[in-house]
Amino acid sequence: MAADQRIVIENCSIATVDADDTEYASGHVVISGNRVESLGAGRAPEGLENVVRRIDATGHLVTPGLINTHHHFYQWITRGLATDHNLFDWLVALYPTWARIDEPMVRSAAQGSLAMMARGGVTTAMDHHYVHPRGSGDLSGAIIGAARDMGVRFTLARGSMDRGEKDGGLPPDFAVETLEGALAATEETVERHHDASFDAMTQVAVAPCSPFSISTELLKQGAELARRLGVRLHTHGSETVEEEKFCHELFGMGPTDYFESTGWLGEDVWMAHCVHMNDSDIAAFARTKTGVAHCPSSNARLAAGIARVPDMLAAGVPVGLGVDGTASNESGELHTELRNALLINRLGAHREAALNARQALRLGTFGGAQVLGRAAEIGSLEPGKLADLVLWKLDTLAHASIADPVTALVFGAAAPVTASFVNGRQIVEQGRLLTADEDAIARSTREQAQRLARIAGQA
């Protein structure tokens, strides 16, 4: 849409998720080009020029688009496997299969992962891709291309592993990179694809995988590389009790202290999971403004535990939500994580107020923007911010008797998405993608999953 063209959305409830949690029971949003021009109570101002579309959003709640802060797209084609395993056994079971992925598989899996999220209200996605088997092709390019074609704002966390089986790691040796190779390939990916502009559709982060599969030197040099290039850092942290034991045995300290010793705490860092954090760990994250990607469904699926999200928020830790890989969260949706985050964090005696509906919505929107370093651009509905927003239909049987729209969205069944806009461009209409053929993606992912299973079985 041209910069001077406008879309007017009216007669909707609005949850802006701004600093004051401003809400309107019946209001309007005006999009101009790729920005939110204005919003407020009642009808849009009269006399607006170049209005190319008016949307009567009666019965809808408008929110900022959802922001996913942790995912592994390639796992879309290994869903439904190792369903009764903890993290370590799950990794051991699946790494031999993952080590056989190639570019066509990764492209198809990325399309499936992105499609499922986008049709459910995600406007900004990220992918932590760390499996780069030798001769597998341009995997980063395939993932970024899939996001570009889908029309979703995107951060690629270019992952890496340099600790294979021969060095005591979990992945097969042919699925890991050398230290020098990982750093060089990561730098090339940043230089080729990262866009630092305000309305960037593609950004890149430096993202070694986890303490189990990377050397200390890869962590240290990865942090130095990211800061030299001016990009963010991402990894897995404190996911399981086994990780804490591993760090103490190998490094003589817990995961948080180990990360700090390698330069991996800071406002340009975010970590996935952070389930097993003591008071000192949370204080260190709060002091350094290190972010957390909370993945409630995956943590439950792998029996990793319950992250102390309410305590993190109270301490001032930036927290967003993550789908995580769809081999440990088969639904692949983020809007269901709003509800799961709220419910899981209430488990235990006298925890009925641990998280509320508006805190859950903030995790999935503004919290995610903070974690990705884009809070000035996305994550809330405010004039001048990018026009990434969702219209949730709340007047059907599933939600119509719930008076408060935010409560309906978070506590109720997954709400239908009538429209989703990214950068001012509509990408979803009545729950269907406008930018991709969902049926073709389903066929492709099924074929590539079967192909990967054959190749892994023959190996």
Side-chain angles (χ1 to χ4, degrees):
M1 191 167 68
D4 62 344
Q5 292 183 324
R6 292 182 171 89
I7 296 174
V8 176
I9 304 168
E10 295 181 301
N11 305 319
C12 50
S13 299
I14 302 171
T16 68
V17 200
D18 65 9
D20 299 318
D21 271 330
T22 306
E23 296 181 11
Y24 302 101
S26 180
H28 67 272
V29 180
V30 178
I31 299 172
S32 180
N34 70 345
R35 307 289 179 98
V36 174
E37 182 178 66
S38 64
L39 72 164
R43 302 292 297 271
E46 296 292 334
L48 291 174
E49 297 180 351
N50 299 322
V51 175
V52 296
R53 186 177 176 197
R54 288 186 178 271
I55 299 174
D56 181 357
T58 300
H60 289 77
L61 170 67
V62 175
T63 71
L66 300 184
I67 297 171
N68 180 34
T69 62
H70 186 67
H71 211 315
H72 307 296
F73 290 175
Y74 75 91
Q75 293 181 14
W76 187 264
I77 55 175
T78 59
R79 294 193 297 164
L81 305 177
T83 55
D84 303 309
H85 294 50
N86 65 22
L87 176 67
F88 267 91
D89 294 340
W90 176 82
L91 289 171
V92 170
L94 291 176
Y95 261 133
T97 298
W98 293 340
R100 271 79 186 179
I101 60 174
D102 60 18
E103 187 175 335
M105 295 175 190
V106 168
R107 180 183 298 107
S108 179
Q111 290 171 336
S113 297
L114 286 159
M116 200 67 191
M117 285 188 293
R119 67 200 294 270
V122 169
T123 56
T124 297
M126 71 79 67
D127 183 33
H128 185 193
H129 188 87
Y130 52 83
V131 183
H132 295 273
R134 295 166 199 163
S136 55
D138 181 9
L139 305 188
S140 294
I143 297 164
I144 289 170
R148 182 186 59 242
D149 294 344
M150 198 75 63
V152 173
R153 205 176 299 282
F154 181 60
T155 294
L156 173 68
R158 203 291 181 181
S160 53
M161 301 184 291
D162 67 341
R163 187 199 294 271
E165 288 177 320
K166 68 178 176 59
D167 297 317
L170 293 176
D173 291 328
F174 65 86
V176 303
E177 301 170 283
T178 64
L179 169 64
E180 296 77 13
L183 292 169
T186 301
E187 182 167 6
E188 179 187 5
T189 303
V190 172
E191 291 179 343
R192 182 178 173 191
H193 295 291
H194 181 70
D195 180 358
S197 64
F198 183 88
D199 56 358
M201 292 297 291
T202 303
Q203 296 195 332
V204 180
V206 175
C209 182
S210 68
F212 303 116
S213 56
I214 56 178
S215 66
T216 298
E217 200 57 34
L218 180 54
L219 270 179
K220 288 182 176 178
Q221 293 193 36
E224 293 168 0
L225 174 66
R227 288 171 180 136
R228 174 166 61 83
L229 298 176
V231 298
R232 297 182 73 74
L233 301 87
H234 180 59
T235 191
H236 297 88
S238 300
E239 186 172 0
T240 63
V241 291
E242 290 84 0
E243 180 184 335
E244 185 167 2
K245 181 181 177 182
F246 175 89
C247 288
H248 275 288
E249 289 178 351
L250 205 61
F251 312 121
M253 64 187 87
T256 298
D257 290 336
Y258 174 60
F259 283 125
E260 186 159 30
S261 75
T262 58
W264 272 79
L265 293 187
E267 61 183 3
D268 56 354
V269 179
W270 86 102
M271 296 190 197
H273 302 293
C274 299
V275 174
H276 297 277
M277 302 264 285
N278 59 32
D279 291 346
S280 176
D281 297 329
I282 292 174
F285 271 55
R287 168 175 50 82
T288 58
K289 298 302 179 185
T290 303
V292 171
H294 176 45
C295 305
S297 292
S298 177
N299 294 343
R301 157 77 148 84
L302 296 173
I306 302 172
R308 296 173 58 186
V309 171
D311 295 334
M312 294 178 192
L313 295 175
V317 176
V319 183
L321 289 182
V323 172
D324 204 5
T326 48
S328 67
N329 178 3
E330 275 74 4
S331 78
E333 298 176 304
L334 191 69
H335 61 309
T336 55
E337 298 302 291
L338 301 175
R339 185 173 192 263
N340 290 345
L342 183 147
L343 296 180
I344 286 175
N345 281 283
R346 288 188 175 189
L347 289 174
H350 308 300
R351 292 182 58 82
E352 60 275 0
L355 280 183
N356 62 42
R358 282 160 177 81
Q359 287 175 308
L361 178 59
R362 180 170 288 274
L363 289 176
T365 53
F366 189 77
Q370 286 182 299
V371 164
L372 295 184
R374 305 200 67 176
E377 304 130 64
I378 57 176
S380 61
L381 298 179
E382 301 179 66
K385 282 199 164 185
L386 296 170
D388 294 6
L389 54 91
V390 180
L391 280 69
W392 307 93
K393 187 171 178 59
L394 298 179
D395 60 357
T396 68
L397 173 64
H399 303 94
S401 59
I402 304 176
D404 175 54
V406 176
T407 297
L409 178 67
V410 175
F411 278 85
V417 174
T418 294
S420 182
F421 292 84
V422 181
N423 218 40
R425 175 194 183 195
Q426 187 172 354
I427 66 166
V428 174
E429 175 77 32
Q430 300 298 336
R432 296 286 293 185
L433 291 169
L434 298 176
T435 53
D437 185 332
E438 296 178 27
D439 296 330
I441 291 173
R443 289 192 297 271
S444 173
T445 56
R446 181 171 56 250
E447 291 165 0
Q448 292 298 335
Q450 293 169 347
R451 178 171 161 257
L452 176 57
R454 285 196 304 272
I455 292 171
Q458 292 166 359

